[in-house]
């Protein structure tokens, strides 16, 4: 089933005082679709990494044969082992980057 990142002009995670994880400003709809398309499936979500950020996406709707997804950054400490191992196997993550992210607490401020 094709996955489509659901973009909108309403960026709830970028509003001051809004709940949830602040989306990095450099991630636009095209980048989000690429992260979704190249991510790995684990625990009913799609997981991916870009630079110092780790992302999780959830399916929130289906229309015909297309699924619609919304993603957000998460702290690296919340990346499940299964997803981490699949990202490593897919070449999207290396062990050294993962260890550095955990040691430095990347994303813990979210």
């Amino acid at each position: 089933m094709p996955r489509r990142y659901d973009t909108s002009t309403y960026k709830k995670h970028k509003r001051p005082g809004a709940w949830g994880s602040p989306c990095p400003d450099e991630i636009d709809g095209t980048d989000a679709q690429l992260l979704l398309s190249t991510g790995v499936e684990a625990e009913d979500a799609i997981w991916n990494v870009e630079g110092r950020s780790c992302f999780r996406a959830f399916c929130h709707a289906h229309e015909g044969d297309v699924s619609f997804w919304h993603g957000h950054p998460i702290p690296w400490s919340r990346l499940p082992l299964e997803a981490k191992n699949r990202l490593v196997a897919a070449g999207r993550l290396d062990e050294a980057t993962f260890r550095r992210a955990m040691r430095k607490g990347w994303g813990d401020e979210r």
Side-chain angles (χ1 to χ4, degrees):
M1 174 176 291
R3 300 179 202 140
R4 184 176 306 157
Y5 187 79
D6 193 10
T7 59
S8 70
T9 56
Y10 178 62
K11 297 178 180 177
K12 67 180 178 184
H13 294 149
K14 292 188 180 190
R15 292 184 313 166
W19 62 273
S21 302
C23 295
D25 288 334
E26 65 273 8
I27 301 294
D28 63 14
T30 302
D31 296 325
Q33 181 63 52
L34 182 61
L35 287 168
L36 180 64
S37 299
T38 61
V40 299
E41 291 186 51
E43 298 187 6
D44 296 324
I46 302 295
W47 307 83
N48 213 334
V49 297
E50 178 64 34
R52 292 176 43 132
S53 297
C54 184
F55 295 91
R56 172 178 56 193
F58 289 102
C59 180
H60 66 85
H62 296 278
E63 188 176 303
D65 65 344
V66 177
S67 58
F68 293 88
W69 297 73
H70 172 73
H72 57 93
I74 62 163
W76 286 78
S77 59
R78 293 181 47 204
L79 178 65
L81 181 60
E82 177 186 4
K84 178 234 173 203
N85 290 339
R86 288 184 180 186
L87 286 165
V88 169
R92 297 288 303 154
L93 177 64
D94 60 74
E95 293 286 347
T97 300
F98 179 74
R99 285 191 304 273
R100 187 176 321 110
M102 294 299 289
R103 185 177 66 249
K104 294 186 176 188
W106 289 354
D108 286 346
E109 64 277 3
R110 292 188 175 96

